Amino acid sequence: MSLLETVHLYTPILESLDYFKQHDFHTYAHVLMVFVLSTLLAEDLIPDYQECIQLSATGPTHDIGKISVPLHILKKTTPLTKSERGFIEHHATAGYVLLSYYYKDIQNLACEVALSHHERGDGSGYPRGILLKDPMVEIIAVSDIYDALIKPRPYRPTAYDNRAALEEITAMAEQNKIRWDVVKALIAHNRKSKPHYKEIRISAEKRGTPPSDNVYGIIAGEEKTDSKD
Ligand SMILES: [Fe+2]
Ligand SMILES: [Fe+2]
């Protein structure tokens, strides 16, 4: 908490958080959770404390581009059309543009995180279909997926239970979509004994039951895809 308190955010960014708090509470709670979780994982994986403070600021801003997505699309509970899906995916590029303007610096890591947090290690993500490279983008990507799974979402009223969520994330690491050491750090924090992430062994046994009422990735009139938010 003391680390989080030292993170400085510009006024337009705080105003965007206020917008989400009022109009889309899912996104508001989500970005704060990603802020906390990604800081926790960064402390494990990126040992420089001062650098970690700067990295942490990328958590609450990673989805800022959703401010450009119409609320009725963000909150839609039935399958999206292809064009609505395009609006949602646009949030990555929109976030990059907004943060580049606010920070007056396209090299700022928050810009890269906003642009690339839906990219995957096998090139299957969006918006560019490039490979994940930056360690903090990889941390935000895993934090983002985990929080999306363990909470109810507009497209999925039932949350994954914690076991099923971790198994889903492990399966994504097995497919090389996200990085193993980030997944291990997340799982280590979920173990009672809090082992070091390099020392844990991950069970291959799948015991969780994903919720059945999930329309995420279903495009109206098309097959389901396997990406996550
Ligand atoms: Fe996102
Ligand atoms: Fe997100």
Side-chain angles (χ1 to χ4, degrees), residues 27-197:
T27 297
Y28 176 69
H30 167 70
V31 298
L32 293 183
M33 179 68 170
V34 169
F35 182 24
V36 175
L37 187 56
S38 62
T39 300
L40 199 64
L41 298 178
E43 278 189 299
D44 287 344
L45 298 160
I46 303 172
D48 184 311
Y49 184 79
Q50 288 305 317
E51 190 185 6
C52 198
I53 293 172
Q54 192 216 340
L55 297 174
S56 298
T58 64
T61 57
H62 81 279
D63 270 341
I64 196 169
K66 285 189 175 172
I67 208 160
S68 71
V69 181
L71 287 170
H72 73 275
I73 297 178
L74 274 182
K75 295 177 169 183
K76 196 173 174 193
T77 57
T78 50
L80 297 170
T81 64
K82 207 165 188 173
S83 128
E84 288 169 336
R85 183 77 214 160
F87 273 95
I88 297 266
E89 293 190 357
H90 177 69
H91 84 275
T93 310
Y96 174 75
V97 172
L98 282 170
L99 292 171
S100 301
Y101 176 71
Y102 295 149
Y103 286 111
K104 304 279 185 279
D105 174 17
I106 57 169
Q107 305 294 333
N108 188 298
L109 182 63
C111 305
E112 177 59 25
V113 166
L115 179 63
S116 300
H117 67 280
H118 288 285
E119 303 290 1
R120 297 291 176 253
D122 61 356
S124 65
Y126 69 83
R128 293 176 289 172
I130 59 166
L131 303 183
L132 279 172
K133 283 195 303 266
D134 183 278
M136 193 60 196
V137 180
E138 295 184 279
I139 288 171
I140 294 280
V142 171
S143 307
D144 184 52
I145 296 164
Y146 179 62
D147 183 62
L149 290 170
I150 61 170
K151 301 260 184 61
R153 308 289 284 181
Y155 49 80
R156 174 178 32 75
T158 312
Y160 280 61
D161 63 57
N162 199 49
R163 173 92 197 183
L166 293 174
E167 288 176 359
E168 187 82 8
I169 286 174
T170 303
M172 290 182 76
E174 283 164 350
Q175 293 161 26
N176 202 27
K177 289 180 186 292
I178 49 179
R179 212 173 78 195
W180 264 117
D181 59 354
V182 186
V183 174
K184 283 184 176 177
L186 174 66
I187 292 174
H189 278 288
N190 274 278
R191 297 249 168 104
K192 269 196 191 130
S193 59
K194 306 286 180 218
H196 191 276
Y197 75 92

